[in-house]
Amino acid sequence: MSWERLRVFAAVAEHTSITAAAEALHLTRPAVSQHVRKLEREAGCRLVEPDGRGIRLTTAGQVLASAARSITATVLDVERDLANIHERITGPLRVGAVTSALRAFVLDALRTLTTRHPQLDPALRDGEVIDLIPALRARRLDAVVLESWSGWPARMPPGVALTDLFTEDVELAVADDHPLAQRSVVRIDELHGQRWTSCPPGTEAHEALVQTLRSHSVDADVRYCMADYATQLSAVAAGLASALVPRIAQSPRPAGVRYVPCEPAVTRTIAVATADSGSTPAVRALLAELLRTTDRGEPAPAPQ
């Protein structure tokens, strides 16, 4: 049984889906299926069986999955310890990030790192905290750049450490002809009857919007669920909805959009999550570069 097949089977067992495991490992679905079939031939028994749209482990598969997870963790620990011996900033670096941070500074930080350390091999995945933190805990990611809102603070599970990069203001985005567009500030308890656009339910941004409004006895009528702020701002410009938009996501601003500060202030903190059980030189270099990049100041919003 090869290490590669055991690594693949550990992912299959975690996701109970060939497709999801393939996506997590950046492999094709046929490649993952082939690994499982070879592993079954080597084991001399069935390891998985169909279960609706997914699969489930047989008894033998559960036994092998437990061993595969243990072996995977051991190999990753060895790779980390070997890298630490000489502080070599080489090899894979798997990063997850919320899209607004990715666009604003994460790509710049990775460009600087790969220029400085040509043997570094980064991979980047965008997404939300709800998906990225489980991937970090399963060691499919080495670091996650995430968001934590004043109305919905991020809650990290055991074994995950957080390093704050910066805290930014979040403002109300409305169309130019909106009744609140000319205000210098708007109280949150004045936002009754608004139609909203936000990220999909379950994301930090969506839950922060709902909880922020609810804490001021305002119902959140979210009509337009869109994963990125650029599309949300297009809906705002069209006069279809209002939005709460963090500072680094305000530029470029579409024509016809105004930003108005909120009272009380709404803020969002951008932080980096890593495993607190130890990190590689590559992860430490990434964290240092992200701190340097954001210390120069996050991008300013578009002019009014």
Side-chain angles (χ1 to χ4, degrees):
M1 297 181 185
S2 73
W3 149 240
E4 178 64 12
R5 281 197 280 282
L6 289 173
R7 181 179 78 92
V8 170
F9 189 68
V12 170
E14 178 183 352
H15 293 281
T16 63
S17 165
I18 297 293
T19 301
E23 292 175 354
L25 296 170
H26 304 289
L27 297 173
T28 65
R29 192 180 188 284
V32 172
S33 296
Q34 186 177 38
H35 277 299
V36 173
R37 286 195 298 270
K38 287 182 177 179
L39 200 54
E40 288 182 327
R41 287 197 295 271
E42 292 170 345
C45 58
R46 291 287 299 276
L47 300 175
V48 299
E49 57 189 13
D51 183 26
R53 294 185 177 180
I55 57 172
R56 63 184 175 189
L57 301 181
T58 64
T59 300
Q62 293 173 2
V63 171
L64 186 58
S66 177
R69 283 190 289 265
S70 177
I71 292 169
T72 299
T74 299
V75 171
L76 291 174
D77 286 342
V78 170
E79 290 177 344
R80 182 196 66 207
D81 293 343
L82 288 174
N84 281 330
I85 291 175
H86 301 294
E87 284 293 310
R88 295 177 300 171
I89 302 176
T90 63
L93 175 65
R94 302 157 301 173
V95 182
V98 294
T99 302
S100 57
L102 188 157
R103 290 176 175 172
F105 62 87
V106 174
L107 291 173
D108 287 341
L110 289 178
R111 178 182 60 187
T112 300
L113 278 179
T114 53
T115 299
R116 191 180 300 145
H117 307 287
Q119 292 182 309
L120 191 64
D121 184 22
L124 185 61
R125 166 185 168 187
D126 72 341
E128 300 291 341
V129 175
I130 191 172
D131 299 314
L132 297 178
I133 292 302
L136 175 70
R137 297 189 73 197
R139 303 191 182 197
R140 296 194 306 275
L141 292 175
D142 300 306
V144 171
V145 182
L146 55 79
E147 58 186 347
S148 178
W149 293 66
S150 53
W152 187 256
R155 296 169 177 83
M156 293 296 103
V160 175
L162 274 185
T163 302
D164 290 348
L165 296 179
F166 61 87
T167 298
E168 59 180 344
D169 290 332
V170 177
E171 295 181 312
L172 176 69
V174 294
D176 275 345
D177 58 357
H178 191 282
L180 299 175
Q182 303 306 317
R183 295 278 293 275
S184 60
V185 66
V186 61
R187 297 197 318 272
I188 294 174
D189 60 12
E190 297 179 274
L191 296 175
H192 294 280
Q194 300 293 317
R195 294 185 303 273
W196 294 93
T197 176
S198 182
C199 297
T203 63
E204 303 300 299
H206 184 98
E207 300 306 319
L209 170 65
V210 171
Q211 293 300 322
T212 297
L213 296 177
R214 183 175 296 167
S215 67
H216 292 82
S217 301
V218 177
D219 291 330
D221 182 9
V222 182
R223 301 283 188 90
Y224 304 91
C225 292
M226 303 164 180
D228 67 282
Y229 287 107
T231 310
Q232 292 177 32
L233 287 172
S234 295
V236 172
L240 296 173
S242 303
L244 288 182
V245 182
R247 182 179 177 87
I248 65 171
Q250 292 179 8
S251 179
R253 183 191 64 178
V257 172
R258 298 280 299 182
Y259 296 118
V260 184
C262 297
E263 174 61 41
V266 180
T267 61
R268 182 181 77 157
T269 296
I270 298 294
V272 184
T274 54
D276 64 8
S277 59
S279 62
T280 64
V283 172
R284 291 194 289 273
L286 171 69
L287 184 57
E289 185 57 34
L290 289 173
L291 287 166
R292 279 193 293 268
T293 300
T294 54
D295 187 56
R296 293 194 291 267
E298 69 274 14
Q304 298 284 342

